[in-house]
Amino acid sequence: MLHIAPRLNRIKPSPSSMAGQRARELRAAGRDILGLTAGEPDFETPEHIKEAAIRAMAAGQTRYTDVGGTPALKEAISGKFLTENGLAYAPGEIIVGTGAKQVIFNALMCTVAAGDEVIVPAPYWVSYPDIALLAGGVPVFVDCPATSGFKLHPADLERAISPRTRWLMLNSPNNPSGATYTRAELQALAEVLRRHPHVWVLTDDIYEHLIYGDTEFATMAEAAPDLKDRTLTVNGVSKAYAMTGWRIGYGAGPSALIKAMVKLQSQSTSGPNSIAQAAAIAALTGPQDTIATNRREYQKRRDTVVAALNAIDGIRCDVPDGAFYIFASCSALFGLRNRKGTVIENSDDWVMHLLDSQDLAALQGSAYGVPTHFRLSFAASTEQLLEGCRRIARAREELSGQAFDQELQELQ
C-alpha cells in the first residue's frame, strides 16, 4: 500500500490549474466551454525571442547550465533591475528558476521552519498559503477588502506581526484583484517593517509591466532602500513577454538567501532549461515594443469587460490598475436559487452555476481568500470576452426571482 507523506495533506491542488483541467475535460466530452480562467497572455511570444532559442539550439546550447542560471542571463537580469528599478544586484544575489513559482517555493522552503508565520494579504495568489504550509509554516491571512482597494494597510500589518513572523508576501499588481501599490503606500508599510527587523519581505512583481493609466510601478526594495537587505524581489518573463510555457522566473536578494536557494534547487530541478534561458536573455535585452502594444490591447479589453459586467444586475467590479484579471463581486446574488433549486451561497456556487448553465469557466474568489468575488481573465480575445459577459448575464437571468418564487410554491 502506497504511503503518502502527511505533508501533502496540508495543501490542496492549485485551483487555477484544476479549473483549466476541468474545462479541457468538458471540451473533450463535447461541451462548448468558454474558459476565462487562464493566467497567461493569449499573445504569441515575440519572434526575436523565438529566434534566439533557435540560435541557441543551433549553437549547441543544450547542456546543463549553472544551477542558479547562466552568467549571461544573470547579467541581463542585473541590467533589467538597474535600468528599470534602480536596483543594483551582483550575480551572487540573483537566482533563475523554472518559473517565478519555483523561486518563491525555494525561498520559503529555505527559511520557514515549523510554526513560523507568513503574512498573506487577501486576496492572494492561490499558491502562497500552500507553499507556506508545505514548508511547515502557518499562513496568517489579513483581509484587504474592496473598500480598502484590496491593499494592505499599515495598521493591519502591525497587528498581524508576531515574534514568529518570517515573511510578508506582497504581490503588486495583484492576482486576482489588479490592485497596485504606490510608492507612498509601500513606504508606509516599510515604516511598520522597520520596527520589526525579523520580518522579511517577498515582493512578487510578475505583473510589473501590465499597469494601466497613470499608475506607476514601484517595488519595496526601491521604495525603501534600507529594507533591500531583507527583501527578495521576484519577477519573470512569463507575463510581460508571453512566455508562460518557457518557464523562466528569477529572484534577487541578499547573497546568503540566494546561496541557500541555489543549494535547494541543486537537489530539486537543478539548472533551468538552457534554451529557455537564452530566449529570456533576448526578452530582457531585445526590443521592448510588444510590451506597450499588448498593454494597450489589455487595457481596451479591461474597459470593455468592466463596463459589460457592471451593466449586469447583481455584479459589481472596480477597474483594476494592473494585471489582466477582473475580480468582480457576486455577493448580491447570494440567497437566490438556480433552476435546479440550488441556493447560491458563495462564489463557489456562482462559479459552478456559470459552468453548469452556460458552459463558462471562471474562478471562485474563495480560492483567493475572498468568497464574495469571482475572477475572470481578460487575456482572451474581445469576442470571447463579450461572449463570456453575455453568458454571465444569462446565468444571472436564470436566478431572477427564484429564491422567493420557489419558497412560495413550497408553502402552497
Side-chain angles (χ1 to χ4, degrees):
M1 183 176 180
L2 178 64
H3 175 72
I4 302 297
R7 72 175 69 92
L8 265 294
N9 295 327
R10 303 174 195 154
I11 65 172
K12 60 185 180 301
S14 167
S16 51
S17 297
M18 292 300 99
Q21 179 178 322
R22 178 62 176 156
R24 289 188 291 271
E25 291 172 350
L26 291 173
R27 286 194 194 98
R31 296 266 296 271
D32 177 26
I33 301 298
L34 174 56
L36 297 180
T37 62
E40 63 178 344
D42 61 320
F43 301 112
E44 277 294 317
T45 302
E47 287 301 318
H48 72 279
I49 299 175
K50 295 179 182 178
E51 291 167 1
I54 294 171
R55 289 195 300 272
M57 287 186 284
Q61 296 179 29
T62 57
R63 299 184 180 277
Y64 293 135
T65 72
D66 292 349
V67 170
T70 64
L73 180 51
K74 286 186 177 183
E75 181 180 354
I77 293 167
S78 178
K80 174 261 184 276
F81 276 124
L82 188 61
T83 302
E84 295 187 346
N85 310 112
L87 296 171
Y89 289 106
E93 297 174 310
I94 295 171
I95 183 173
V96 182
T98 306
K101 180 185 281 190
Q102 185 184 25
V103 176
I104 296 169
F105 180 90
N106 287 346
L108 296 195
M109 290 296 290
C110 286
T111 58
V112 174
D116 286 348
E117 296 173 354
V118 177
I119 296 176
V120 182
Y124 48 75
W125 182 46
V126 295
S127 291
Y128 296 152
D130 289 282
I131 293 174
L133 288 166
L134 197 58
V138 178
V140 175
F141 301 108
V142 181
D143 290 333
C144 305
T147 53
S148 298
F150 295 118
K151 297 180 188 180
L152 179 64
H153 284 193
D156 294 326
L157 172 60
E158 185 81 63
R159 283 190 290 270
I161 293 174
S162 81
R164 295 305 304 267
T165 304
R166 294 293 171 264
W167 287 96
L168 164 64
M169 310 292 284
L170 285 179
N171 177 209
S172 175
N174 175 263
N175 173 11
S177 70
T180 304
Y181 288 87
T182 65
R183 181 172 284 100
E185 288 168 337
L186 291 174
Q187 290 169 342
L189 295 175
E191 281 296 315
V192 176
L193 293 166
R194 290 187 183 101
R195 295 193 288 272
H196 304 277
H198 66 289
V199 180
W200 283 51
V201 187
L202 191 154
T203 60
D204 182 350
D205 298 348
I206 196 70
Y207 296 97
E208 172 185 359
H209 291 293
L210 297 179
I211 295 181
Y212 312 108
D214 297 329
T215 304
E216 294 184 0
F217 177 77
T219 192
M220 183 62 85
E222 171 207 4
D226 59 308
L227 299 186
K228 183 172 177 277
D229 63 354
R230 53 182 168 121
T231 298
L232 177 67
T233 304
V234 179
N235 211 316
V237 298
S238 61
K239 314 297 183 181
Y241 302 98
M243 294 177 67
T244 51
W246 297 79
R247 306 310 303 134
I248 294 292
Y250 53 86
S255 58
L257 172 62
I258 298 300
K259 182 178 180 180
M261 292 167 63
V262 171
K263 180 180 180 180
L264 175 63
Q265 190 162 294
S266 75
Q267 294 293 1
S268 56
T269 59
S270 194
N273 180 291
S274 61
I275 299 158
Q277 288 188 75
I281 295 171
L284 294 174
T285 63
Q288 304 293 302
D289 54 299
T290 57
I291 293 178
T293 300
N294 294 350
R295 184 169 55 236
R296 285 193 293 270
E297 180 60 27
Y298 282 134
Q299 184 166 343
K300 291 178 185 177
R301 296 173 181 179
R302 177 201 67 174
D303 295 343
T304 297
V305 176
V306 167
L309 288 179
N310 280 331
I312 300 172
D313 181 33
I315 303 296
R316 173 63 189 168
C317 59
D318 296 320
V319 181
D321 294 324
F324 41 61
Y325 308 107
I326 300 296
F327 202 47
S329 172
C330 54
S331 61
L333 307 179
F334 296 170
L336 299 179
R337 283 193 175 94
N338 62 23
R339 291 178 178 176
K340 294 181 178 180
T342 302
V343 176
I344 305 299
E345 296 181 342
N346 49 45
S347 62
D348 295 68
D349 295 333
W350 168 242
V351 165
M352 186 56 66
H353 173 61
L354 291 175
L355 186 59
D356 287 345
S357 70
Q358 300 298 326
D359 287 342
L360 176 66
L363 281 169
Q364 65 275 23
S366 58
Y368 305 92
V370 185
T372 55
H373 286 59
F374 68 106
R375 193 197 83 170
L376 297 174
S377 168
F378 54 86
S381 70
T382 300
E383 293 75 16
Q384 289 176 311
L385 294 170
L386 288 173
E387 174 59 21
C389 291
R390 284 190 287 267
R391 295 189 188 192
I392 292 172
R394 290 197 296 267
R396 168 62 184 94
E397 290 170 2
E398 290 190 4
L399 299 177
S400 298
Q402 292 296 308
F404 304 106
D405 293 347
Q406 187 160 336
E407 288 173 1
L408 287 173
Q409 293 172 7
E410 290 171 354
L411 288 173
Q412 293 170 352

